[in-house]
Amino acid sequence: MSVSAVGYLRIASTDTSAWMDFGTGVLGLMDAQRADDAGARFLRMDDHPFRFMIESADADKLIATGLEFPDEAAWRSTIDALAGAGHTVTAGSPEEAQRRCVTAFSTVQDPAGNTLELYWGRKLDYVPLVSPTGVSRFVTTYQQSGDMGFGHCVLPAPDIESCVDFYTQLIGTGLTDTLYPPGLDGLQIKFMHANNPRQHSIALFSGPHPAGIVHMMVEVQTLDEVGQAMKRAEKAGVHFLATLGRHVNDNMCSIYILAPGGIAVEYGYDGLLIDWENYVPTVSVEGDLWGHEYNFPGVN
Ligand SMILES: [Fe+2]
């Protein structure tokens, strides 16, 4: 296994100010206040210079998912394997790498068309998190040093089997579990982990999604901080996609809310950390221990 974590997301937004207001005022992320020639805005949650790049566009959707590799050798062998398997791998320029605060990166699309930016050598600046809402810490590391990425994301993958092969055989994720969600006949979600203890870093949903991402997750340390985010979201008039609940697989106790433009954000705590050495993947037909009553806009 080579991929270390899901390091960052690039998000296209028709209203970057609204996204920043949501990111800072509801999620409690910090405005990184980075200069950018194209006018992008940046949100940070830890020592990384940013975790979310919000880029002005005429549509709201995920642009790319940044996947972290531990070193140049692991990164290079992965992009060589992708090219060898017939995938088009495009090297990022030094200027583009600088914008992403990485040493080097290359872009590739998975079989479903999701854009991935494979990078190594994130350039950390160690500016301390000062959350505008008082979030004490976002859970992005374990044992004080190992990066677990910003959280996790679920990507649409209608051709899920070829996508699972792509991620497990070429990117280097490991399959954690498969969920056949109740009420969604014939659909499934494959949860995959990177080389860190987070139960999943990337998951694949076997249907399409107009936003290019089914949801993204950020994790805080306490139930109180989830509750406080709930109150902020209610006060801001944010749509709740799911009430408070707890998942069976990663044990995440979380809410789901809708960001401006329609990307779903899971906000949780208590995510399961796993030692992968003797792990055996599981299959489930139930997504939640309790709660998570879903309310999708336009769906009765
Ligand atoms: Fe999730």
Side-chain angles (χ1 to χ4, degrees), residues 152-154 191 200 203 215-217 247 249-250 252 254 256 266:
H152 68 236
C153 60
V154 182
F191 297 89
H200 61 277
H215 74 259
M216 52 183 269
M217 191 282 305
H247 286 306
N249 62 348
D250 66 353
M252 194 70 70
S254 57
Y256 285 73
E266 180 182 9

Side-chain angles (χ1 to χ4, degrees), residues 91-270:
S93 69
E95 294 74 25
E96 290 171 321
Q98 175 75 18
R99 188 179 187 220
R100 291 155 178 75
C101 309
V102 300
T103 303
F105 78 102
S106 288
T107 302
V108 69
Q109 291 196 318
D110 74 13
N114 300 302
T115 300
L116 308 175
E117 294 182 355
L118 281 51
Y119 70 88
W120 74 279
R122 197 91 206 267
K123 296 178 176 174
L124 308 182
D125 60 12
Y126 296 98
V127 173
L129 174 76
V130 180
S131 166
T133 64
V135 172
S136 58
R137 172 182 166 258
F138 288 94
V139 178
T140 59
T141 57
Y142 64 101
Q143 296 173 349
Q144 299 183 338
S145 57
D147 185 25
M148 299 202 299
F150 71 79
H152 68 236
C153 60
V154 182
L155 301 176
D159 184 7
I160 194 164
E161 295 304 336
S162 63
C163 264
V164 169
D165 289 347
F166 173 88
Y167 282 94
T168 56
Q169 294 172 18
L170 294 170
I171 299 294
T173 55
L175 181 64
T176 309
D177 66 302
T178 303
L179 168 64
Y180 295 94
L184 294 176
D185 273 357
L187 294 173
Q188 59 175 302
I189 306 174
K190 296 275 191 187
F191 297 89
M192 301 176 297
H193 60 271
N195 192 17
N196 74 65
R198 212 188 272 288
Q199 196 265 358
H200 61 277
S201 290
I202 304 178
L204 299 171
F205 170 65
S206 65
H209 197 289
I213 179 170
V214 179
H215 74 259
M216 52 183 269
M217 191 282 305
V218 298
E219 184 175 359
V220 288
Q221 291 193 111
T222 65
L223 178 61
D224 287 337
E225 288 173 311
V226 176
Q228 287 155 0
M230 256 173 81
K231 294 305 289 181
R232 294 194 298 270
E234 286 169 7
K235 199 170 169 194
V238 169
H239 180 80
F240 278 66
L241 287 162
T243 59
L244 185 68
R246 192 186 282 276
H247 286 306
V248 296
N249 62 348
D250 66 353
N251 200 52
M252 194 70 70
C253 182
S254 57
I255 55 172
Y256 285 73
I257 54 180
L258 207 56
I263 288 182
V265 179
E266 180 182 9
Y267 199 95
Y269 96 109
D270 212 17

